[in-house]
Amino acid sequence: MTSFNRSTSRRLNKLPQIPSVWEGDRRPLSSPIPHPDSSANGDCILWVDGSQGVVRGMDVVPPETGPEAIVRTLMRAMEHPHSPAKPARPHKIVVRDREIQFYLRGVLQDLDIAIDYAPELPLIDELFRGFAEVVDSQIPDLPPQYAEALQEKAFALWQAAPWEFLEEQQILSIEINKWDVGTLYASVMGMLGMEYGILFYRSEESLQRFRAAVLQSEESQGRLEEAFLKQDCLFLTFESLDADDEDEDEIDNLAEMPLAEIAPTFGNIHPLEGLRSVLYDEEALVVYVALESLCRFIRDHRRQLRDETFPELSHRYRISLPESDTGTKSVSVTVASMPQLASELEEMAGFGVSESEMETPDLPIFRSLRDDLIPEDSFLSLGVVSWEMLEYLRKGVTYHPAGEIKQVGDGLPVILIQTSRPKAKTVIENIEAAGGLQAICFNPGADPFDGDRYDLGLLQTQNGELFLFGEFLDDDPIHVEARKKWNQRCKNTKGYCGLIIAKGLTGSARGNPQLRDMVALFEARSLSPKDLGLGMLQLMPQL
């Protein structure tokens, strides 16, 4: 048996001994409802001064923790008790467990404390009854009768992956007309690779108000958070079960993780309630019906939804409900696409600009902003390649020309991306799959939460998509100088520039790739923020 060090015993013996009887016990805090908080299902250790009626020490420990835990709590109860108690040793300790009694007699034998047994501890019994009521009254995140069914539908949606072809502004209406819910408006999150999930707005007005608020460049952090909490929607989001342990070299985003490592979270946002990650009975049924009908709609119309244009579609479904005491066994639901609303939201966001309105000819309409093209650990630089080196590159690497470039100035302005050989190959293949590189752009951006402003580097592919390749602080003097040179060189070349993809990130050429390390050259046009017509891009708040 483990005993105190002699120095510890001497220290405890110096505490004043008071003529009080302390009660001590260890009991499980169990509940019929599983709680994510492990403390709700652990063992609670209590030490109470029965003479004064005060709790001197309390701990919650995992059930597998050994008997030493009750001694550790007792030591704190003596040396550092809860207020208003003062440090002291008791005259007597009473426990209701024979094993604890014998254990404490051995450990405390040098402290002159009597250890007695009693079959009941009235004060502690009353405290534990109160604890049990609190634990049992905790509201679960999902109603127990619907939890399993909702989890299954969430994982079915994850596997359907609607964010692969639906953008946030491409809204689907889900007409339910049940449980005081008319029509929900589903907005799919995930195409940007930042947060995956579905927002089920209860009205078009709520959706449009929030979009308008976050798109205002002058919005302050406080007002943006207020707009976020004024949404009226139900939501489902996905996150990693253990985000801290993700290997960034192997997992670029959540979409690449195994299904077993994904956790769905359900909840509600309302102007008068704020955000809560809890669904009540009727809300759970609404979300279940919405998810089931949405999964069926995606299954039936996946090919049409992948089209370049957002088509007008509608489908009616009869959804069977999980067993419940509502008396309703099924509900009829109509799911439809809303291309008109999608166009309005695109126009509101400023990327519904027609080709004829843009200064640079033959530019495709902006579709989305993504950040999954350039690996996160890449080395990035703005620079120039001499006209002589440009000729070597054109002959020695994968080369995609953009037109006849007049050789004026010190060379061709280029963005250089250096990464590993496999990732460089993937970047090249993805650009080629998108039809090649159309343009290189810089556009203002802002983080409304910390007030920082950025110069965002963007790559536009021939299919109209925009990819983020760099975020540069507006007041970074090095970047400011590099941008001045970039703008002047692009002016010399009449808007022509280039993108170089290089390997060797982990070798001796890291940060200074040589000609032999360069594997691809994409020539393109340079666009100004006015050409893009996007306005100030802002970081969106996450659920």
Side-chain angles (χ1 to χ4, degrees):
M1 177 184 295
T2 305
S3 59
F4 287 132
N5 295 325
R6 290 186 177 182
S7 60
T8 303
S9 295
R10 286 194 297 270
R11 188 180 78 243
L12 294 174
N13 273 313
K14 291 179 181 179
L15 294 172
Q17 190 168 32
I18 55 177
S20 295
V21 178
W22 293 3
E23 296 179 7
D25 203 6
R26 171 177 178 169
R27 302 184 192 181
L29 278 177
S30 59
S31 169
I33 300 170
H35 294 278
D37 181 3
S38 61
S39 66
N41 299 298
D43 284 357
C44 181
I45 299 171
L46 266 181
W47 283 104
V48 179
D49 187 332
S51 305
Q52 299 182 6
V54 296
V55 176
R56 294 187 64 97
M58 184 176 73
D59 271 326
V60 178
V61 299
E64 63 272 14
T65 306
E68 298 84 3
I70 198 168
V71 179
R72 290 194 290 267
T73 307
L74 175 60
M75 283 188 64
R76 284 194 291 275
M78 288 191 286
E79 293 189 292
H80 307 286
H82 295 168
S83 180
K86 304 296 184 183
R89 281 181 300 146
H91 171 70
K92 181 192 294 187
I93 284 175
V94 180
V95 297
R96 63 159 197 159
D97 185 300
R98 290 290 189 186
E99 290 187 10
I100 292 177
Q101 179 192 15
F102 296 141
Y103 183 80
L104 291 177
R105 279 182 175 176
V107 173
L108 306 179
Q109 57 184 328
D110 296 331
L111 299 185
D112 192 25
I113 300 174
I115 316 294
D116 286 352
Y117 165 83
E120 294 183 358
L121 303 173
L123 188 56
I124 285 185
D125 290 342
E126 183 61 30
L127 286 170
F128 273 108
R129 275 193 294 272
F131 293 158
E133 290 175 2
V134 170
V135 171
D136 292 341
S137 65
Q138 290 183 14
I139 299 172
D141 293 344
L142 297 172
Q145 68 271 32
Y146 305 132
E148 184 177 353
L150 279 170
Q151 295 277 348
E152 290 177 357
K153 295 307 169 192
F155 286 123
L157 183 75
W158 176 262
Q159 292 178 309
W163 37 81
E164 291 182 355
F165 46 86
L166 285 176
E167 301 176 32
E168 290 187 18
Q169 76 276 6
Q170 294 178 322
I171 306 301
L172 301 176
S173 67
I174 305 173
E175 185 181 348
I176 297 176
N177 294 325
K178 189 73 176 174
W179 305 292
D180 296 320
V181 172
T183 300
L184 297 177
Y185 300 88
S187 174
V188 177
M189 302 182 296
M191 184 168 278
L192 299 183
M194 294 166 59
E195 184 174 15
Y196 295 87
I198 307 286
L199 298 175
F200 296 106
Y201 287 91
R202 293 186 177 93
S203 69
E204 285 188 53
E205 292 74 19
S206 175
L207 187 158
Q208 291 172 323
R209 280 197 306 269
F210 177 65
R211 290 302 181 97
V214 299
L215 289 169
Q216 294 178 15
S217 60
E218 69 273 14
E219 194 78 82
S220 67
Q221 176 183 350
R223 293 184 63 189
L224 186 60
E225 291 175 352
E226 181 183 1
F228 176 77
L229 294 175
K230 282 185 177 179
Q231 294 178 100
D232 185 7
C233 66
L234 299 157
F235 67 81
L236 163 64
T237 58
F238 297 92
E239 59 186 15
S240 166
L241 280 171
D242 196 356
D244 293 338
D245 291 337
E246 292 180 23
D247 187 342
E248 294 182 359
D249 293 333
E250 298 180 2
I251 302 173
D252 291 329
N253 56 53
L254 196 65
E256 299 179 15
M257 297 182 66
L259 187 64
E261 297 181 18
I262 302 298
T265 299
F266 299 86
N268 175 84
I269 307 175
H270 188 272
L272 300 181
E273 289 191 77
L275 185 149
R276 58 172 160 85
S277 297
V278 171
L279 292 183
Y280 295 97
D281 288 8
E282 289 187 358
E283 294 170 338
L285 285 172
V286 169
V287 173
Y288 175 87
V289 169
L291 288 175
E292 173 63 12
S293 58
L294 191 60
C295 285
R296 293 190 192 183
F297 187 80
I298 292 168
R299 176 199 63 196
D300 294 338
H301 299 286
R302 179 179 289 266
R303 181 180 58 81
Q304 296 100 311
L305 292 171
R306 285 185 178 275
D307 288 347
E308 194 72 22
T309 58
F310 189 41
E312 190 166 344
L313 303 167
S314 181
H315 207 128
R316 191 170 185 84
Y317 301 99
R318 171 66 61 175
I319 307 298
S320 298
L321 302 179
E323 291 188 12
S324 66
D325 54 5
T326 62
T328 304
K329 293 186 178 180
S330 64
V331 62
S332 181
V333 178
T334 300
V335 183
S337 60
M338 303 187 73
Q340 179 60 39
L341 179 58
S343 297
E344 293 173 6
L345 294 176
E346 288 177 355
E347 184 177 351
M348 182 188 303
F351 52 75
V353 184
S354 66
E355 296 182 19
S356 62
E357 294 174 315
M358 301 182 73
E359 291 186 1
T360 304
D362 302 325
L363 288 177
I365 298 173
F366 168 63
R367 292 175 52 200
S368 65
L369 175 59
R370 299 171 56 179
D371 64 351
D372 56 350
L373 177 65
I374 306 302
E376 290 185 6
D377 57 352
S378 301
F379 171 79
L380 168 68
S381 68
L382 281 68
V384 62
V385 293
S386 66
W387 300 115
E388 182 182 8
M389 179 177 285
L390 182 64
E391 293 304 317
Y392 284 114
L393 282 173
R394 286 171 170 172
K395 296 175 183 178
V397 304
T398 301
Y399 171 53
H400 296 265
E404 185 175 348
I405 303 176
K406 191 174 181 180
Q407 296 188 2
V408 178
D410 55 352
L412 182 71
V414 295
I415 302 296
L416 187 142
I417 306 290
Q418 186 182 26
T419 183
S420 65
R421 182 193 296 269
K423 290 181 179 179
K425 181 181 178 182
T426 300
V427 172
I428 295 166
E429 290 173 350
N430 288 340
I431 294 176
E432 291 175 339
L437 186 64
Q438 174 74 20
I440 298 175
C441 337
F442 288 92
N443 198 82
D447 184 344
F449 297 99
D450 59 20
D452 288 337
R453 290 184 175 269
Y454 294 89
D455 195 22
L456 303 178
L458 308 175
L459 302 176
Q460 187 178 47
T461 51
Q462 293 284 358
N463 64 357
E465 290 186 307
L466 283 178
F467 295 89
L468 179 71
F469 72 80
E471 299 172 276
F472 309 94
L473 283 170
D474 252 1
D475 56 359
D476 180 357
I478 296 177
H479 177 68
V480 169
E481 184 62 28
R483 271 300 309 276
K484 286 180 181 179
K485 292 180 179 178
W486 171 271
N487 292 340
Q488 183 58 51
R489 286 163 177 158
C490 287
K491 185 177 180 180
N492 292 339
T493 61
K494 305 300 182 184
Y496 283 103
C497 56
L499 171 68
I500 295 176
I501 307 298
K503 60 181 176 64
L505 182 64
T506 58
S508 59
R510 174 182 175 86
N512 186 30
Q514 304 302 304
L515 187 60
R516 63 179 179 274
D517 300 308
M518 299 178 187
V519 292
L521 167 65
F522 294 88
E523 292 176 359
R525 300 303 300 268
S526 171
L527 292 184
S528 69
K530 184 178 179 181
D531 294 331
L532 286 176
L534 299 182
M536 178 75 72
L537 297 177
Q538 293 203 54
L539 177 69
M540 294 285 285
Q542 296 189 3
L543 292 177

